[in-house]
Amino acid sequence: MSIKNSNKNIIPVLITPFKKNKIYEIGISNIYNFLKLNKISYVFAGGSYGSFATMSFEERIKFAYFTNKYSKENGIKVFFNISSSSLEEVKKIYEKIYKYNFFSLSILPPYYYSNTNFYGVDEISAFVNKIYDFTQHKNLCLYNNPKTTGIDLTPNDLFAIKSNTKINFIKDSNESFEKIIEISRFKKLVRDNKFYYIPGTTASMLMSGLLGFKYCMSGLFLSAPSLISNLYHSASSSNFREASEIYKKVFELRKIMGHYCPRAVSAYYVLNNKNIDVGEPNFPWPKLKTGDKKTSLHFCFCFIEISL
C-alpha cells in the first residue's frame, strides 16, 4: 500500500512532544514535516490525545507558539484545542494565541457536571455562545468525547446545539456504528455545506467513509499513515470489501498499541523508532518498561509490515 494522492480529508489527532518535562520544539517540527510528506492538510492539536489536561497555562501558550510556527511552515491548517474547566482560563489562552489565527478553535464542554440530569444541550449551547461572544471566531469546533464527558449527544442534540450556536464543526469521538448511521440520515445536520459533523476516531472511519462524511479524525494516523490512508480512501470510494479487510487490520493494530499503555503513549515509541524524534509523553502519562517497550514495538512493526 502507498499514500494516496491526497489525505486532505483525514485529520490526524496529534500527540504533544515533551523532553525533560518541557515542550519539545524539535519534536513538534518533526511531526509537521512528517505530516507534510504524508499529504495532510488539517490536524487536531492539543486535545486529549495531546495531553492538554496535563499542561500548565504557560506550556499551552508555548505549545501554541510552536504549533503556529511549524504548521504554517508546512502549509497545514490547525484545529487548536483551547478547552479548560474554567471559562476565564479559556479567555486567557485565547488572549495569548488569537494572533496566530488558527483555522479552528476547539472547545470541550465542561464535563465536571456531566453525569447529572441537569447538564445537557442548553448548558453546552450557553457555554459555546459565551466563548463565541468573546472570540468571534468563525470556525468554532465543539469537541465531545463521551468516554470523558459522559454525554452521548443524540442526532437531535447535535442539531439543537448547531441551531443554538455559531459552531461550524462538531468533533464527536463516539465509536458507535449505529449512531453514525442515524446521524447520516439526519439531513438537516449533514447536508449543510457550512457545517460539518466530524467522526472523531479511527474506529469510526470505516462507517463514516462509506456513509459519505467529508472528514474523519484519526489518532492512529501518526503510527500507520499508509494503513489509515487506504482505509479512508477505500471506504469513501464505497469499496466495502477492501475497506472491511483493512479495517480488521486497523482494529488489531489498535489493540496491540493499547495493550501495554494508552495508544497515545505507544505513538511516541512507534515514531521514535522510525527515526522521527518526537520526545516523550508528559508526566503523568505512563512510560513503557524496557521489556514491554520492545515487545510492543516488535508486534506493532511486524503487524504494520504484514498489513502493507
Side-chain angles (χ1 to χ4, degrees):
M1 292 183 185
S2 59
I3 293 294
K4 299 292 184 181
N5 290 332
S6 173
N7 285 320
K8 65 181 181 180
N9 295 337
I10 300 172
I11 305 175
V13 179
L14 305 188
I15 56 176
T16 300
F18 276 80
K19 184 160 276 192
K20 297 181 179 178
N21 299 316
K22 294 181 180 179
I23 297 285
Y24 185 40
E25 180 180 359
I26 293 172
I28 295 173
S29 172
N30 288 341
I31 284 178
Y32 281 97
N33 291 338
F34 173 72
L35 291 172
K36 182 179 181 179
L37 291 173
N38 282 281
K39 302 172 184 175
I40 287 296
S41 296
Y42 300 90
V43 297
F44 189 91
S48 303
Y49 212 75
S51 312
F52 87 92
T54 74
M55 287 193 259
S56 67
F57 174 81
E58 291 75 17
E59 286 171 333
R60 294 183 75 180
I61 301 308
K62 183 176 285 189
F63 172 64
Y65 171 79
F66 292 137
T67 296
N68 175 64
K69 179 180 179 180
Y70 294 108
S71 64
K72 286 183 176 171
E73 280 186 10
N74 288 281
I76 294 173
K77 296 178 180 179
V78 179
F79 287 76
F80 191 84
N81 179 41
I82 60 169
S83 302
S84 171
S85 57
S86 162
L87 183 59
E88 289 307 308
E89 182 159 288
V90 172
K91 290 180 178 180
K92 289 177 182 177
I93 291 171
Y94 180 72
E95 286 171 345
K96 293 289 186 180
I97 72 163
Y98 78 92
K99 57 191 173 186
Y100 302 141
N101 195 27
F102 288 121
F103 171 76
S104 175
L105 296 180
S106 171
I107 46 177
L108 186 74
Y111 50 82
Y112 38 87
Y113 294 132
S114 60
N115 289 317
T116 72
N117 293 323
F118 306 102
Y119 189 83
V121 168
D122 291 342
E123 290 74 23
I124 293 172
S125 298
F127 178 73
V128 171
N129 285 331
K130 281 184 179 292
I131 293 176
Y132 178 80
D133 290 343
F134 182 75
T135 65
Q136 294 291 302
H137 199 285
K138 64 180 181 180
N139 279 334
L140 283 184
C141 175
L142 176 66
Y143 165 31
N144 184 48
N145 183 349
K147 291 179 181 176
T148 309
T149 64
I151 304 167
D152 190 10
L153 297 169
T154 67
N156 283 323
D157 292 337
L158 293 166
F159 181 71
I161 294 170
K162 168 187 176 293
S163 301
N164 295 340
T165 67
K166 293 186 177 181
I167 57 172
N168 284 41
F169 303 92
I170 292 179
K171 173 189 184 295
D172 190 22
S173 298
N174 107 85
E175 298 181 358
S176 166
F177 283 8
E178 183 178 353
K179 181 178 174 183
I180 292 172
I181 292 170
E182 288 178 13
I183 291 170
S184 74
R185 292 172 175 165
F186 204 110
K187 295 180 182 179
K188 290 182 181 180
L189 186 65
V190 298
R191 294 194 178 178
D192 182 342
N193 60 11
K194 295 181 180 179
F195 172 85
Y196 296 96
Y197 173 85
I198 305 177
T201 66
T202 305
S204 59
M205 188 174 285
L206 171 64
M207 193 59 67
S208 60
L210 290 169
L211 293 172
F213 287 95
K214 184 172 182 179
Y215 300 104
C216 190
M217 297 201 183
S218 172
L220 210 59
F221 186 90
L222 285 174
S223 301
S226 293
L227 195 63
I228 301 306
S229 173
N230 283 278
L231 170 61
Y232 176 82
H233 286 284
S234 296
S236 58
S237 300
S238 299
N239 188 339
F240 178 76
R241 178 175 293 182
E242 180 177 275
S244 60
E245 288 304 311
I246 298 172
Y247 183 78
K248 292 174 187 176
K249 297 172 183 177
V250 169
F251 188 77
E252 287 302 315
L253 180 60
R254 290 176 85 243
K255 288 194 336 188
I256 292 168
M257 290 189 65
H259 184 72
Y260 291 103
C261 62
R263 287 189 295 274
V265 173
S266 291
Y268 290 87
Y269 296 109
V270 171
L271 287 166
N272 284 328
N273 278 269
K274 290 181 178 179
N275 293 317
I276 302 167
D277 179 10
V278 295
E280 59 195 11
N282 193 27
F283 181 82
W285 280 103
K287 294 182 181 179
L288 290 174
K289 298 175 182 178
T290 303
D292 289 345
K293 175 181 172 182
K294 288 181 178 178
T295 303
S296 181
L297 284 170
H298 173 73
F299 281 120
C300 280
F301 283 113
C302 285
F303 191 87
I304 292 171
E305 194 68 28
I306 291 170
S307 298
L308 299 180

